Amino acid sequence: MSDYYNFHDSKNWTGRITTFSKSIDSNLKLLRVILLTKGSTIMEFSKLMGKGLLKLNDTGLPKDFKDNMKSIDNLNDVANGYLKQSTENLILANEKAPNNKFLERTQNAIGNFFQGFNHGRKNRKKDKPAQISKGNGDGANDEDVYIELLPFEFEETQLYNLRTLSLNQKTFVEGKLKLSVESALKNANSDVIAQIRNCFQYIATDIEIVQRAIVQRVHEVDDEGNYVPSMQASALQTADMLALLSLKPFSQLLPESAITPITFFSQETHIRSLPYCENVVLIGIRYDQVLHNLEADETPPPFEMLAIPHEIGHYVFQRANLETRRNDIIKIVSEIYKDEDWDFTNDPIDDSGGLTFQDLSDSLPLSIENQKHRDWCEEIFSDICGCIVAGPLVALSLLSILTSRSDNDNQQEEGEHPTGSLRPYILKAILDELYPNTESESSVSKDIIDTWENSSDLKPNNKDSQLTSIKKIISVFSRILIGENETRTHAIWSSAHFTNLKECVDELKSIKTLSGFTELEPAHLTKIAPEAAVEMDSLLSDWIKKGPVTIGDHD
């Protein structure tokens, strides 16, 4: 009997799990470096926890600590008592004489912790009282319980979310993924190795993206020797805020109550959802699409940055649950396509299962010659979402991308993307649909066409007949997203009254000062619980469906 190598040996595959775990640990260590250089509340809190100074046990803080953290309005007196007791605990914990300088730094850290918490309580919104989560039974430690109460800055919260995301990746890798691989190899078929390798490639990409998101938020030393956010970190914070603000108008359609967007610089603009973290969306942005130092006069407007609301539109298209609005949607479609032969009883839109925007797109009664518009539905939908968020500024952003492409690219059929030469006319149709009674927007939408036709001689084929079909699609999606009687209440730039594209350009430069940015509070991610094994094809299909999605990329 000849010897052969068994590629189905579980050790060949489960042994790689350790590599993923170590890579995740490296990401967590990178986070510590950023938090240490930043001198953040999170890091001070973590150091105290690590030294045993903030623990609910007989040798640590009193058992009423949790209640006091929630209830008292001024922590100064209580903090002094806790500080004294914690210092005594530190001295008792050391068999040798304590280091006076270390003790002084520790005392200051505890004092700063309580002072920062007290300041946060005074400034906390009345409608958002501090609450301590009860956890999900996964053995969360004291740090995870109390950390939700601390008054973090936006940047700190996002760094904390990257930490939690990394911990969730580790839970997934060492639990569900490993168990699924082991189970699959016991009953291996001809496809199992390919499925395992694909899953490994996906999680490796996820880990690498998180690493990028961390490194790109690193702090640097300025000329005075102070640690300050790098230009990349500052740009990504603005991008995070824009993504978070872009989700607001559509939150009622999404199954998750609080979505956490995390942006990072990438080779292409795209979104990536994670099957093991339903409420996280990763948004890759090309380096040339986010400009630094916007305040400087010589910095040009960040046109391409408005691709973010468009990408959020893809996320909404993929994740929205329309089941509760089924009857309203049937009414909307029947009114817009009243001259079309559409049998609701046999159409997928009238099934008893869940209803998605993809289901709706598949069911629209388009003519044979306009079937390609069905493939464009997601792109058109995302353009609409972008214009709901930022009005003509999103159209200006996409126009800047189109004018920078070659004529050949703008003439080609692109499958899921509308033809480039037709796109400006679609954008005008969207603005006219969203703001039919607003003279200023109508003027700007006309400006878009004038600007495009002045920069390109391309004429789209059958423009009028194509727009007739596309305008119906726009009407369906727009009425579902904003209703028939709602005004521009969700747009970030709702206070601006644009009369031309020049005003739009000027407004883009002031993106950081727009209404709502300073009030944004990203949600804190929570740890996931370990899960059991599943079939590899099920795990893989879920990942393909929710994971490596590269949609809506623009040159």
Side-chain angles (χ1 to χ4, degrees):
M1 181 176 180
S2 60
D3 293 332
Y4 65 92
Y5 191 82
N6 182 14
F7 283 103
H8 289 78
D9 188 339
S10 64
K11 292 181 181 179
N12 290 329
W13 304 102
T14 57
R16 301 180 185 220
I17 298 294
T18 303
T19 300
F20 296 136
S21 295
K22 289 183 177 179
S23 296
I24 295 169
D25 287 338
S26 294
N27 286 346
L28 290 167
K29 291 175 182 177
L30 281 172
L31 266 172
R32 288 181 200 165
V33 172
I34 298 175
L35 292 171
L36 276 170
T37 57
K38 178 177 170 52
S40 71
T41 307
I42 296 176
M43 200 62 203
E44 295 299 335
F45 189 76
S46 297
K47 285 190 291 185
L48 296 178
M49 296 295 298
K51 293 294 181 182
L53 298 179
L54 294 177
K55 287 186 177 180
L56 293 180
N57 52 43
D58 294 337
T59 60
L61 295 176
K63 293 186 177 180
D64 62 351
F65 177 73
K66 185 187 298 185
D67 293 331
N68 283 324
M69 291 284 281
K70 288 191 293 183
S71 61
I72 62 177
D73 293 324
N74 194 311
L75 289 174
N76 291 335
D77 294 337
V78 178
N80 289 332
Y82 286 160
L83 177 59
K84 180 180 178 181
Q85 182 174 351
S86 297
T87 302
E88 292 173 352
N89 291 340
L90 178 64
I91 295 174
L92 292 174
N94 295 332
E95 294 181 1
K96 298 180 181 180
N99 181 304
N100 289 333
K101 289 186 177 180
F102 173 74
L103 184 58
E104 181 181 352
R105 289 198 302 269
T106 304
Q107 290 173 326
N108 290 336
I110 297 174
N112 291 336
F113 162 70
F114 282 109
Q115 183 179 5
F117 180 80
N118 190 40
H119 176 74
R121 282 194 57 85
K122 289 180 178 179
N123 291 281
R124 188 181 296 275
K125 296 180 177 63
K126 292 182 179 180
D127 60 337
K128 289 187 177 181
Q131 295 181 349
I132 294 180
S133 66
K134 296 180 180 179
N136 54 12
D138 61 352
N141 59 31
D142 294 338
E143 178 182 354
D144 298 308
V145 174
Y146 295 132
I147 205 162
E148 297 178 20
L149 294 171
L150 297 176
F152 297 147
E153 300 170 355
F154 189 101
E155 180 192 30
E156 285 183 319
T157 302
Q158 288 296 76
L159 291 172
Y160 171 73
N161 286 336
L162 282 166
R163 167 187 176 272
T164 306
L165 177 55
S166 295
L167 293 174
N168 287 346
Q169 285 181 333
K170 194 168 184 178
T171 298
F172 170 77
V173 165
E174 296 178 352
K176 186 176 182 178
L177 180 59
K178 182 178 180 180
L179 294 173
S180 299
V181 170
E182 290 174 342
S183 176
L185 289 170
K186 291 178 181 178
N187 302 293
N189 57 47
S190 58
D191 294 329
V192 70
I193 299 300
Q195 292 172 337
I196 291 172
R197 184 171 288 280
N198 284 336
C199 284
F200 282 2
Q201 289 172 345
Y202 292 155
I203 188 60
T205 300
D206 290 349
I207 295 170
E208 192 264 340
I209 285 176
V210 171
Q211 182 188 68
R212 271 191 265 169
I214 294 170
V215 171
Q216 290 164 1
R217 285 167 171 79
V218 72
H219 283 216
E220 58 191 16
V221 181
D222 64 12
D223 294 338
E224 284 74 38
N226 301 313
Y227 282 103
V228 295
S230 65
M231 293 180 68
Q232 279 186 332
S234 297
L236 287 178
Q237 179 168 326
T238 301
D240 284 347
M241 288 179 166
L242 180 55
L244 192 62
L245 212 54
S246 299
L247 280 162
K248 280 192 171 184
F250 318 111
S251 58
Q252 74 280 2
L253 295 174
L254 296 170
E256 295 83 12
S257 58
I259 310 298
T260 299
I262 297 175
T263 59
F264 63 98
F265 289 114
S266 176
Q267 292 180 328
E268 56 193 2
T269 299
H270 67 292
I271 62 171
R272 187 178 181 91
S273 302
L274 307 174
Y276 46 86
C277 285
E278 296 283 343
N279 57 344
V280 175
V281 55
L282 302 175
I283 305 174
I285 311 168
R286 283 170 41 164
Y287 274 94
D288 64 315
Q289 293 186 349
V290 176
L291 297 175
H292 307 290
N293 197 18
L294 290 176
E295 295 81 3
D297 292 337
E298 64 273 13
T299 303
F303 293 116
E304 296 87 350
M305 196 168 184
L306 269 297
I308 292 175
H310 173 94
E311 294 303 319
I312 289 295
H314 285 291
Y315 183 82
V316 175
F317 187 92
Q318 296 161 15
R319 292 299 188 92
N321 186 348
L322 305 176
E323 184 57 38
T324 59
R325 300 187 60 185
R326 178 181 290 271
N327 292 334
D328 291 338
I329 291 173
I330 290 176
K331 180 181 178 182
I332 289 171
V333 176
S334 62
E335 289 178 359
I336 293 174
Y337 288 93
K338 58 186 178 181
D339 297 328
E340 307 294 338
D341 182 17
W342 189 31
D343 186 352
F344 294 106
T345 58
N346 296 324
D347 201 276
I349 197 174
D350 203 32
D351 285 345
S352 59
L355 179 61
T356 67
F357 277 112
Q358 187 61 61
D359 295 331
L360 176 58
S361 301
D362 292 341
S363 73
L364 295 178
L366 304 181
S367 63
I368 296 176
E369 61 270 20
N370 290 322
Q371 283 300 309
K372 64 182 177 181
H373 297 164
R374 197 182 309 282
D375 298 331
W376 297 353
C377 277
E378 184 168 346
E379 279 296 320
I380 294 171
F381 177 92
S382 300
D383 285 350
I384 294 170
C385 288
C387 288
I388 288 174
V389 170
L393 275 75
V394 163
L396 179 66
S397 172
L398 292 172
L399 186 63
S400 73
I401 295 172
L402 291 170
T403 55
S404 64
R405 303 172 76 199
S406 68
D407 285 350
N408 184 58
D409 287 339
N410 281 326
Q411 284 179 308
Q412 289 183 349
E413 296 285 345
E414 298 183 87
E416 64 190 20
H417 289 80
T419 308
S421 59
L422 185 63
R423 197 69 171 271
Y425 301 93
I426 295 176
L427 294 170
K428 179 183 184 302
I430 291 172
L431 291 175
D432 291 342
E433 173 72 25
L434 293 177
Y435 315 111
N437 300 316
T438 306
E439 182 179 346
S440 58
E441 267 77 16
S442 298
S443 175
V444 174
S445 66
K446 181 179 182 300
D447 230 5
I448 288 172
I449 299 304
D450 290 343
T451 300
W452 169 251
E453 292 182 346
N454 183 62
S455 63
S456 175
D457 295 327
L458 296 178
K459 304 296 181 184
N461 297 326
N462 305 316
K463 181 189 70 175
D464 293 339
S465 62
Q466 288 204 73
L467 287 175
T468 298
S469 169
I470 292 171
K471 285 179 180 179
K472 291 183 178 181
I473 298 174
I474 292 172
S475 294
V476 169
F477 289 149
S478 298
R479 285 176 59 180
I480 293 172
L481 288 171
I482 65 172
E484 298 181 62
N485 301 315
E486 292 187 37
T487 57
R488 193 181 172 186
T489 56
H490 289 298
I492 300 174
W493 286 269
S494 59
S495 62
H497 299 284
F498 304 116
T499 58
N500 55 60
L501 285 185
K502 177 63 169 60
E503 292 182 0
C504 293
V505 171
D506 293 340
E507 189 75 6
L508 274 173
K509 288 278 288 181
S510 60
I511 187 171
K512 291 185 178 180
T513 63
L514 296 172
S515 174
F517 261 49
T518 58
E519 302 172 1
L520 288 170
E521 295 181 6
H524 282 202
L525 292 182
T526 56
K527 289 184 178 179
I528 62 173
E531 296 182 81
V534 296
E535 295 291 332
M536 286 304 300
D537 56 354
S538 174
L539 180 62
L540 188 59
S541 64
D542 193 42
W543 218 321
I544 292 172
K545 176 182 173 185
K546 298 176 183 175
V549 181
T550 302
I551 301 176
D553 189 37
H554 302 284
D555 294 332

